[in-house]
Amino acid sequence: MNEIRWPGILQTVKSHTEYLWFQTQRQEEFVCITDEIAKIVMESGVQEGMVLVSAMHITAAVYVNDLEYGLIEDIKDWLNGLCPKADYRHHRTGEDNGEAHLKNLIMHHQVILPITNGELDLGPWQQVFYAEFDGQRRKRVVVKVMGE
Amino acid sequence: MNEIRWPGILQTVKSHTEYLWFQTQRQEEFVCITDEIAKIVMESGVQEGMVLVSAMHITAAVYVNDLEYGLIEDIKDWLNGLCPKADYRHHRTGEDNGEAHLKNLIMHHQVILPITNGELDLGPWQQVFYAEFDGQRRKRVVVKVMGE
Amino acid sequence: MNEIRWPGILQTVKSHTEYLWFQTQRQEEFVCITDEIAKIVMESGVQEGMVLVSAMHITAAVYVNDLEYGLIEDIKDWLNGLCPKADYRHHRTGEDNGEAHLKNLIMHHQVILPITNGELDLGPWQQVFYAEFDGQRRKRVVVKVMGE
């Protein structure tokens, strides 16, 4: 954490970076990470700012929506319909995960969460998720807090 | 608004947060909010920075595109095709808005707009929209300006 | 570039803005811009922060995924399926690019890339792309670095 202080003025400008590691048991798995992000924000000491939560892989997403298990299964089915398994050109490279790349694109790989009064400034039902589309191996999310 | 000043150096680091409230008359309604965001940026006094515009709900989106009413209806039709009304698992909870959650995901719930020389740094046709997919009740967008 | 320095403390708060211009030869063309973004970050001198990379047009996207040419063609085919050429209401204005607007929405027009230790903090396969959906004319991407 880098911190800037100067005498007589209370505010500081800070950045703080952490990495969350995932190794899901299934190829596709959605993991709620709101509590981990909230903890990193608290530890950063940032009172006003933003936190970037961004998958470092091209077959995983980070999104904000409801922690309701029926809906999570609905989202998986919906993505399977829009990004079906198929004989993609990409598979000529030896890969077999073309549809996971497309799911990454449609869901977007990152969110920026506002921090207000030292806390994640989310709506009442907003939860942060890591969505793994090609798992069963170690993958990372970068969490970068910036603010004062 | 938090503001950091120190003698002899003109630049300041600022953050500024406001909330926009919406209660749309229809269940689905797109509202152009470029002017409201521009006003908040001006009031913040930030000259160089970014503004996060983020829906605080999981059945609404914030997006940037054209203020052309034909296109807006095209977008609604297109979303109805990709995110149809259906018997979602989510509806077992008593909800009936599964498709609104999917529309939120495909449209993304937030944008970050650059601020340059004290103004929103948008292209000639870029307008900011709040897209409501499950309205007729009070909902919020957080607008957080950060910069100097 | 705006830079804030004060005696006795090494950190500085900076913002740095550049614009990338594109004029693609084809109507649809994806251009890898990771190296250009990395160069702008290096020139900014920012060690810890974020860089916003945002298309200034409503028929182009910026996304992060794989630099694999088969996959890039897969993505184009997939987008043509989800956003087909059709007789959109938008075309009553004299335009003929309705599907390019929808592709912009599904791919999102911007990314935020973290900067750690003075470098883009990307995963091993993450590359940044400008995706043009209505090209053969001059269009811009704004690149804004913020940090310290």
Side-chain angles (χ1 to χ4, degrees):
Chain A
M1 190 173 68
N2 303 301
E3 189 164 331
I4 302 170
R5 293 184 187 281
W6 56 98
I9 301 170
L10 292 178
Q11 294 91 337
T12 56
V13 178
K14 297 170 182 172
S15 73
H16 179 78
T17 307
E18 293 201 19
Y19 302 89
L20 299 177
W21 285 92
F22 299 87
Q23 180 159 356
T24 59
Q25 295 201 322
R26 281 155 288 175
Q27 199 196 7
E28 186 161 277
E29 195 169 322
F30 292 9
V31 184
C32 186
I33 58 174
T34 314
D35 290 348
E36 282 83 350
I37 307 302
K39 185 161 171 282
I40 292 170
V41 167
M42 197 184 63
E43 291 171 352
S44 76
V46 166
Q47 295 296 303
E48 294 291 326
M50 301 177 190
V51 53
L52 172 67
V53 185
S54 190
M56 301 186 76
H57 298 265
I58 53 190
T59 53
V62 173
Y63 75 91
V64 169
N65 211 288
D66 202 354
L67 179 53
E68 195 281 291
Y69 295 102
L71 181 69
I72 289 172
E73 295 307 309
D74 291 330
I75 295 170
K76 290 178 185 173
D77 283 354
W78 173 69
L79 289 173
N80 284 335
L82 294 182
C83 312
K85 283 185 181 294
D87 183 24
Y88 293 108
R89 287 184 193 84
H90 184 50
H91 297 175
R92 297 178 195 165
T93 64
E95 296 282 352
D96 64 353
N97 60 359
E99 73 284 354
H101 288 269
L102 303 179
K103 290 176 181 180
N104 159 282
L105 293 174
I106 205 167
M107 292 290 280
H108 211 55
H109 73 289
Q110 60 184 193
V111 296
I112 295 257
L113 308 174
I115 302 166
T116 305
N117 297 326
E119 296 194 347
L120 284 180
D121 197 357
L122 296 173
W125 302 102
Q126 287 187 307
Q127 297 280 340
V128 192
F129 289 88
Y130 174 71
E132 176 65 80
F133 303 120
D134 189 18
Q136 298 169 319
R137 50 201 174 100
R138 276 168 64 77
K139 293 169 81 169
R140 274 199 303 173
V141 165
V142 55
V143 182
K144 189 174 280 276
V145 186
M146 278 189 67
E148 57 190 1
Chain B
M1 191 175 64
N2 302 303
E3 190 164 330
I4 303 171
R5 292 183 189 281
W6 56 99
I9 301 171
L10 292 177
Q11 294 91 336
T12 57
V13 178
K14 295 169 182 173
S15 74
H16 179 78
T17 307
E18 293 201 18
Y19 301 89
L20 298 177
W21 285 93
F22 298 88
Q23 180 158 357
T24 59
Q25 295 202 321
R26 281 156 287 175
Q27 198 197 7
E28 184 160 278
E29 195 169 322
F30 291 10
V31 185
C32 185
I33 58 174
T34 314
D35 290 349
E36 281 83 351
I37 307 301
K39 185 161 172 281
I40 292 170
V41 167
M42 197 185 63
E43 291 171 352
S44 76
V46 166
Q47 295 297 303
E48 294 292 327
M50 302 177 188
V51 53
L52 171 67
V53 186
S54 192
M56 301 185 76
H57 299 265
I58 53 189
T59 52
V62 173
Y63 75 92
V64 169
N65 211 288
D66 202 355
L67 179 53
E68 196 280 292
Y69 295 103
L71 182 69
I72 289 172
E73 295 307 309
D74 290 330
I75 295 170
K76 290 177 185 172
D77 284 354
W78 173 70
L79 289 172
N80 284 334
L82 295 182
C83 313
K85 281 186 182 295
D87 182 23
Y88 292 107
R89 288 183 192 83
H90 184 49
H91 297 176
R92 297 179 194 165
T93 63
E95 295 282 351
D96 63 354
N97 60 0
E99 71 285 355
H101 288 270
L102 303 180
K103 290 176 181 180
N104 160 281
L105 293 174
I106 205 167
M107 294 289 281
H108 212 54
H109 72 290
Q110 60 183 193
V111 296
I112 294 256
L113 308 173
I115 302 166
T116 306
N117 297 324
E119 296 194 346
L120 283 180
D121 196 356
L122 295 174
W125 301 103
Q126 287 187 307
Q127 298 279 339
V128 191
F129 290 88
Y130 173 72
E132 175 64 82
F133 304 121
D134 190 18
Q136 297 169 319
R137 51 203 173 100
R138 277 168 63 78
K139 292 170 81 169
R140 276 198 301 172
V141 165
V142 55
V143 182
K144 188 173 281 275
V145 187
M146 276 189 67
E148 57 190 3
Chain C
M1 190 174 67
N2 302 301
E3 191 162 330
I4 302 171
R5 292 184 188 281
W6 56 99
I9 301 170
L10 293 176
Q11 294 92 335
T12 57
V13 178
K14 297 169 181 172
S15 74
H16 179 79
T17 308
E18 293 201 18
Y19 302 89
L20 299 176
W21 285 93
F22 299 88
Q23 179 158 358
T24 60
Q25 295 201 322
R26 281 156 286 176
Q27 198 196 7
E28 184 160 278
E29 196 169 321
F30 291 11
V31 185
C32 185
I33 59 175
T34 314
D35 290 350
E36 282 83 350
I37 307 302
K39 185 161 172 280
I40 292 171
V41 167
M42 196 185 63
E43 291 171 354
S44 76
V46 166
Q47 294 296 304
E48 293 293 326
M50 301 177 189
V51 53
L52 171 68
V53 185
S54 190
M56 301 185 76
H57 298 265
I58 52 189
T59 53
V62 173
Y63 75 91
V64 169
N65 211 287
D66 202 354
L67 178 53
E68 197 281 291
Y69 295 102
L71 181 69
I72 289 172
E73 295 307 309
D74 290 330
I75 295 171
K76 290 177 184 172
D77 284 355
W78 174 69
L79 289 172
N80 285 335
L82 294 182
C83 313
K85 282 186 181 294
D87 182 24
Y88 292 107
R89 289 183 192 82
H90 183 49
H91 297 175
R92 298 177 194 165
T93 64
E95 296 282 352
D96 64 353
N97 60 0
E99 73 284 355
H101 288 270
L102 303 180
K103 289 176 181 180
N104 159 283
L105 292 174
I106 205 167
M107 292 290 281
H108 212 54
H109 73 290
Q110 59 183 192
V111 295
I112 296 256
L113 308 174
I115 302 166
T116 306
N117 297 326
E119 296 194 347
L120 284 180
D121 196 357
L122 295 173
W125 301 102
Q126 287 187 307
Q127 298 280 339
V128 192
F129 290 88
Y130 173 72
E132 175 65 82
F133 303 121
D134 190 18
Q136 298 169 321
R137 53 203 173 99
R138 277 168 64 76
K139 292 169 80 169
R140 275 198 302 173
V141 165
V142 55
V143 183
K144 188 173 282 274
V145 186
M146 278 189 67
E148 58 190 1

